[in-house]
């Protein structure tokens, strides 16, 4: 493979975490430990998987390695040298496709090369190469709205490969696509890694899918929680290509499952007594526009509708209407006696209000949710009223352990932005407080 070694450095280890621990501050200002004494090496020609439940710090480890998060304690090494800032040797593939909707496939890939200062001619050849590599030939001019979930993730993978990374970091990259597409993408990523004439030299992936890591990884790092720490490291000697249904792979899956379910934290590190009080209520993953659309429908139908009829009239799957109704109910805009949906006075006032006044009304309702209040309080305590999005992502993962933290974060931001509460900058990855406008 095309390994890029730092000048004057002979270390065969690409990345190393040494005694890494990490904490973030709770809304009351107290630190909450999320990682404890993590030691990990990434060497050439290997695929490593970080496996564990939500809240164990998997994604935080990945972001620390990439240089996106500075750990509270410990050291990150790249080719034996202390990593300063964002790593030039890595690229990330995210769970949420993170594509620019106004850019086509070619432009979504080329934008990262432009940011790195790659000359236009070289950028063009790189884009052509990775488009063919991930099976996107013929879709160069397509926009994200025209692509399936699997094709969108191919764009994300192509964009990461275009920068010629030594290590490819993948944060649950196949969790947003259907099972058959996920199988195909896993095989394609491994085919790219196996090729000896190009990077990536190594892959580090985050996953909660045991069968997925048994199929892909040569080394499996099992993490425990409270705080996140390494419970076990397993070598996977199964020859490639692997078969999901083979007895050997299924035996490995059972072994990993036994480790995860049987792992207990050492007695000297008990679960904090406040752990249960940290749980916060989840919010339905629907957009403010969905909720407003429901309220407008009810207002046009004398303030009442039967949920099955609403789904049919709005041309929506019944299963997609339910979380919208639940969101409106939690916001105290509607009531739901039996299968009916009834517009409440608050919902009627909202839908009758001037459009300029709606954000303030929405803001008042979402501040009844503890997660919005706590993020607002964290922002208010900062001198510049900004915080890293990673802090909130980690809070969601720890305190909503059964929710998809990326989806919840995106919903949190969209609801807050609609209510002029706080905003999120996708470039700086920071949340910022919006000062409420007096009307």
């Amino acid at each position: 493979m095309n390994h890029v070694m730092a000048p004057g450095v002979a270390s065969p280890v690409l990345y190393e975490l040494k005694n890494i621990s990490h904490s973030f501050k709770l809304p009351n200002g107290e630190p909450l430990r999320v990682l404890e004494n993590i030691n990990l090496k990434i060497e050439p020609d290997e695929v490593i998987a970080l496996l564990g439940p939500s809240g164990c710090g998997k994604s935080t480890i990945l972001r620390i390695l990439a240089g996106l998060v500075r750990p509270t304690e410990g050291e990150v090494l790249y080719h034996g040298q202390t990593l300063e800032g964002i790593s030039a040797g890595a690229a990330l593939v995210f769970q949420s496709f993170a594509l620019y909707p106004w850019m086509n496939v070619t432009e979504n890939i080329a934008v990262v090369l432009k940011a790195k200062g790659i000359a236009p001619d070289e950028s063009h050849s790189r884009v052509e190469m990775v488009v063919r590599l991930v099976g996107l030939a013929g879709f160069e001019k397509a926009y994200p709205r025209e692509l399936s979930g699997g094709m969108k993730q191919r764009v994300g993978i192509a964009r990461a490969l275009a920068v010629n990374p030594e290590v490819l970091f993948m944060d649950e990259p196949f969790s947003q696509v259907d099972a058959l597409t996920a199988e195909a993408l896993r095989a394609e990523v491994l085919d790219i890694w196996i090729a000896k004439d190009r990077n990536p030299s190594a892959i580090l992936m985050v996953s909660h899918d045991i069968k997925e890591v048994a199929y892909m990884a040569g080394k499996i790092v099992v993490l425990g929680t409270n705080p996140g720490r390494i419970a076990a490291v397993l070598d996977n000697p199964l020859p490639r290509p692997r078969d999901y249904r083979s007895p050997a792979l299924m035996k490995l899956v059972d072994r990993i499952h036994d480790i995860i379910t049987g792992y207990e934290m050492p007695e000297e590190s008990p679960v904090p007594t406040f752990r249960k009080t940290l749980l916060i209520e989840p919010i339905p993953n629907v957009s403010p526009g969905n909720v407003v659309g429901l309220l407008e429908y009810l207002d046009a139908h004398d303030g009442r509708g039967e949920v099955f009829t609403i789904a049919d009239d709005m041309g929506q799957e019944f299963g997609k209407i339910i979380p919208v109704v639940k969101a409106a109910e939690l916001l105290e805009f509607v009531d739901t006696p039996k299968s009916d949906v009834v517009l409440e006075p608050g919902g009627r006032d909202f839908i009758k209000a001037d459009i300029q006044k709606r954000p303030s009304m929405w803001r008042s309702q979402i501040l009844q949710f503890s997660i919005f209040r706590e993020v607002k309080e964290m922002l208010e305590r900062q001198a510049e009223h900004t915080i890293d999005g990673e802090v909130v992502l980690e809070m969601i993962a720890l305190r909503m352990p059964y929710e998809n933290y990326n989806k919840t974060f995106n919903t949190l931001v969209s609801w807050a932005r609609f209510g002029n509460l706080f905003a999120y900058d996708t470039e700086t990855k920071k949340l910022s407080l919006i000062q409420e406008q007096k009307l």
Side-chain angles (χ1 to χ4, degrees), residues 210 295 357 438:
I210 297 176
L295 300 183
K357 292 183 180 179
K438 301 298 182 183

Side-chain angles (χ1 to χ4, degrees), residues 410-430:
N410 291 335
T411 302
L412 179 82
V413 169
S414 69
W415 285 29
R417 187 176 283 138
F418 186 75
N420 288 335
L421 182 58
F422 53 80
Y424 179 63
D425 188 320
T426 56
E427 295 295 325
T428 63
K429 309 296 183 185
K430 289 184 179 294

Side-chain angles (χ1 to χ4, degrees), residues 309-341:
T309 304
I310 294 171
D312 186 59
D313 288 349
M314 297 182 73
Q316 294 286 334
E317 294 178 23
F318 175 69
K320 291 184 178 180
I321 285 293
I322 292 299
V324 178
V325 172
K326 187 62 180 177
E329 183 179 31
L330 289 171
L331 290 163
E332 299 182 352
F333 289 149
V334 304
D335 191 16
T336 56
K338 296 187 178 179
S339 61
D340 286 343
V341 185

Side-chain angles (χ1 to χ4, degrees), residues 28-50:
N28 62 7
E30 293 296 319
L32 177 64
R33 201 75 150 178
V34 294
L35 292 175
E36 182 71 40
N37 196 33
I38 302 294
N39 289 278
L40 181 68
K41 293 180 180 180
I42 302 176
E43 300 187 38
D45 305 331
E46 68 177 354
V47 178
I48 303 176
L50 303 180

Side-chain angles (χ1 to χ4, degrees), residues 2-6 14 78-79 164 166 199:
N2 180 22
H3 300 163
V4 181
M5 294 296 290
L14 302 179
Y78 174 53
H79 285 294
N164 193 34
E166 250 188 312
N199 279 326

Side-chain angles (χ1 to χ4, degrees), residues 204-220:
L204 176 72
M205 65 178 295
V206 165
S207 180
H208 62 267
D209 186 326
I210 297 176
K211 188 176 290 187
E212 176 175 88
V213 302
Y215 176 79
M216 291 199 69
K219 182 190 296 181
I220 301 165

Side-chain angles (χ1 to χ4, degrees), residues 270-278:
V271 175
T273 56
F274 54 81
R275 167 65 52 180
K276 289 185 178 180
T277 67
L278 289 176

